[in-house]
Amino acid sequence: MSATLATNVNLHAQFGPKLVCALPGPKAKAIIERDDLLISPSYTRSYPMVAKRGRGIRVEDVDGNVFLDFAAGIAVTSTGHCHPEVVKAIQEQAAELIHMSGTDFYYEHLVSLSERLSTIAPMPGPHRYYYGNSGAEAVECALKIARYHTKRQHFISFFGAFHGRTMGALSLTGSKPQQRRRFAPLVPGVTHIRYPYAYRGCTGNEEAQELFALGCARYIEDRLFKTVVAAEEVAAIFVEPIQGEGGYVVAPNNFMQELRAICDRHGILLVVDEIQSGVGRTGKWWAVEHSGVQPDIVCMAKGIASGMPLGVCQTRAEIMDWKPGSHASTFGGNPVAIAAAHATLDVLEREGMSNAEKVGNAMLKRLHTWPAKHRLVGEVRGRGLMIGIEIVANRETREPAPALRDRIVELAFEKGLLILGCGETSIRLSPPLILREEEATVALDILEEALKEVESA
């Protein structure tokens, strides 16, 4: 893929953003002023973008500016904005049955999606399913069923992890202090340990990094179980195969395999949080599949229904052994959301997942040249269309540069590209899985221009 704007004039004219006024425009400014008076200040907005409509990988704001969306609603619109097949499924289902509540009534939608998810599960069946409305709800279910099934009270999670903001999920989260500040006491029994973030823990070669990753897993038995936590009291280990909010950090295969072995030795459940990394984003249905590890429980949401609210907790059938009334949700598994999920899986199975691998590999090939070309780029990492770029003030010392990262994100917005930060000092690229290579080229050109501007400032 070409690396400069100058050689891609025609490509940018055809596939690039279309900005018609200074940002934010007058209508956006007016809405933001009203928002400031009414909406919770706990929301994190990176730039003043006020969306009006979306199609594919493009989003138009209220002033008519058209952006390339490489955030996808935080990795949610996996089939792109308003994919016609998804829209059709939603419209048809909304005209037939909007809500019934699977807590108290039966409807086939819950069964049909469960049957389908079983065919692509990362562990052998039979399986059982709980339906909620979000990733956090899927995690809450996993927490409760792990305690219920094992009759154990403790959990292990990781620094850098993000599992949600409800109280149970928040107790597992170890991403940013503000997410936990002034909410204690949280759910007791959670111990955080180091995630194998090699760029922030190891300066050696590939072999040294593998040993570092293995050591992160071995710490559980070598130290944790010998000092502060009894192995027989641990219900589950919760892990993201690729940390999302923590920086798009890919867990090495040997780390995941060792976690599985530890769980097997001590009767502990292995829970993989695939909320951001799953449903085809990495080029496989589930990021954990890259390691060959079979989990006991999978939490999924975000991209599963292209923007409709749906969270799913999938377990090995024997694990979900609780009695009626133990857990439920009024809206979970809403028929309209499930219809959107079926349409989403159709698109991803047909083209989206293979495209994520193809276009993601092309993007990574170009991006892997950036650390040698750009003094602010410390590392590029990722799988498929889940790509992280670590921004540093100094490549030798690896000094984090969150302010510079934020400025790059702002400049990209001003040039018509929507991206988000993650972790302390990284940029995440999580576009819809229908992304074309030409669109990827244009987006990386824009991002590289923003990067150069910050480097030269």
Side-chain angles (χ1 to χ4, degrees):
M1 293 194 295
S2 176
T4 66
L5 284 169
T7 58
N8 287 290
V9 174
N10 293 332
L11 205 61
H12 279 255
Q14 183 176 357
F15 296 102
K18 303 290 188 294
L19 303 182
V20 299
C21 68
L23 302 174
K27 292 180 181 177
K29 286 181 180 178
I31 292 171
I32 290 169
E33 288 175 4
R34 292 161 55 201
D35 184 287
D36 287 343
L37 296 174
L38 296 165
I39 304 303
S40 171
S42 63
Y43 293 179
T44 55
R45 272 72 174 265
S46 297
Y47 35 74
M49 195 278 173
V50 181
K52 182 178 181 180
R53 63 172 61 91
R55 295 292 184 276
I57 74 154
R58 288 165 179 78
V59 177
E60 181 181 338
D61 77 359
V62 291
D63 292 290
N65 298 294
V66 178
F67 301 82
L68 298 185
D69 185 6
F70 269 57
I74 318 182
V76 168
T77 55
S78 53
T79 59
H81 293 279
C82 299
H83 191 287
E85 292 179 41
V86 177
V87 171
K88 183 173 183 286
I90 291 170
Q91 290 172 334
E92 290 180 353
Q93 184 57 52
E96 185 171 86
L97 180 67
I98 292 176
H99 175 74
M100 193 67 196
S101 186
T103 295
D104 292 292
F105 302 96
Y106 295 96
Y107 47 93
E108 189 178 5
H109 310 73
L110 294 173
V111 179
S112 64
L113 182 56
S114 298
E115 290 170 340
R116 187 168 188 177
L117 290 173
S118 283
T119 67
I120 59 171
M123 69 282 209
H127 311 103
R128 281 192 181 271
Y129 296 84
Y130 169 84
Y131 287 92
N133 307 283
S134 67
E137 290 184 44
V139 170
E140 294 286 346
C141 174
L143 275 166
K144 291 176 73 175
I145 193 61
R147 276 188 172 170
Y148 188 99
H149 176 72
T150 65
K151 301 179 178 66
R152 301 176 179 188
Q153 67 269 41
H154 286 282
F155 299 100
I156 295 171
S157 187
F158 295 89
F159 295 121
F162 184 85
H163 296 289
R165 289 184 169 92
T166 51
M167 291 302 277
L170 181 62
S171 303
L172 295 168
T173 291
S175 180
K176 295 180 176 70
Q178 185 57 42
Q179 293 161 352
R180 297 163 64 99
R181 184 173 286 126
R182 293 168 65 177
F183 296 129
L186 300 177
V187 175
V190 177
T191 301
H192 288 84
I193 63 172
R194 192 171 200 171
Y195 191 81
Y197 189 173
Y199 189 75
R200 292 291 166 196
C202 176
T203 57
N205 57 19
E206 187 174 333
E207 182 179 355
Q209 291 176 18
E210 292 223 344
L211 288 172
F212 169 75
L214 186 62
C216 289
R218 291 294 315 146
Y219 179 86
I220 296 171
E221 284 185 325
D222 293 345
R223 295 292 295 164
L224 209 59
F225 289 169
K226 293 179 180 179
T227 54
V228 294
V229 179
E232 69 275 11
E233 292 184 346
V234 176
I237 297 174
F238 280 74
V239 64
E240 297 163 276
I242 302 177
Q243 280 197 339
E245 196 67 23
Y248 273 32
V249 182
V250 181
N253 292 343
N254 67 337
F255 169 80
M256 295 297 298
Q257 291 160 3
E258 185 63 19
L259 287 187
R260 178 70 272 176
I262 291 168
C263 288
D264 290 342
R265 284 194 287 271
H266 299 282
I268 298 167
L269 300 177
L270 181 62
V271 182
V272 293
D273 181 334
E274 292 271 8
I275 291 161
Q276 190 159 176
S277 60
V279 203
R281 178 153 293 281
T282 67
K284 294 183 181 292
W285 280 118
W286 313 105
V288 72
E289 292 181 282
H290 292 277
S291 69
V293 166
Q294 295 179 346
D296 300 300
I297 299 176
V298 184
C299 298
M300 57 188 87
K302 286 192 181 291
I304 196 170
S306 296
M308 293 298 290
L310 185 64
V312 185
C313 181
Q314 174 191 60
T315 77
R316 297 182 190 271
E318 68 272 14
I319 294 170
M320 200 169 282
D321 57 359
W322 47 17
K323 303 300 181 184
S326 299
H327 196 52
S329 167
T330 299
F331 296 102
N334 174 277
V336 181
I338 288 182
H342 274 299
T344 296
L345 294 176
D346 287 343
V347 174
L348 299 184
E349 187 172 33
R350 185 178 68 239
E351 59 189 281
M353 185 163 59
S354 60
N355 187 69
E357 180 179 23
K358 175 187 173 185
V359 180
N361 286 343
M363 290 177 65
L364 283 165
K365 182 179 179 181
R366 174 175 171 180
L367 286 166
H368 280 310
T369 69
W370 284 15
K373 294 168 56 180
H374 296 288
R375 62 180 179 82
L376 295 183
V377 178
E379 183 182 54
V380 171
R381 52 185 176 256
R383 280 180 168 145
L385 288 175
M386 189 171 184
I387 299 171
I389 305 168
E390 183 114 359
I391 303 301
V392 294
N394 183 302
R395 277 211 308 270
E396 295 302 316
T397 64
R398 303 186 179 185
E399 178 187 347
L404 297 178
R405 184 272 312 274
D406 293 347
R407 183 58 185 145
I408 294 167
V409 171
E410 291 168 1
L411 279 173
F413 164 70
E414 292 171 11
K415 297 174 183 294
L417 175 65
L418 305 181
I419 56 176
L420 292 171
C422 62
E424 182 184 9
T425 189
S426 295
I427 292 168
R428 76 179 94 183
L429 302 179
S430 57
L433 308 190
I434 60 164
L435 177 72
R436 292 192 280 187
E437 285 197 49
E438 297 88 346
E439 295 163 333
T441 296
V442 171
L444 292 185
D445 285 347
I446 294 170
L447 179 56
E448 191 164 20
E449 285 298 307
L451 176 62
K452 287 178 180 177
E453 286 187 31
V454 174
E455 286 180 325
S456 64

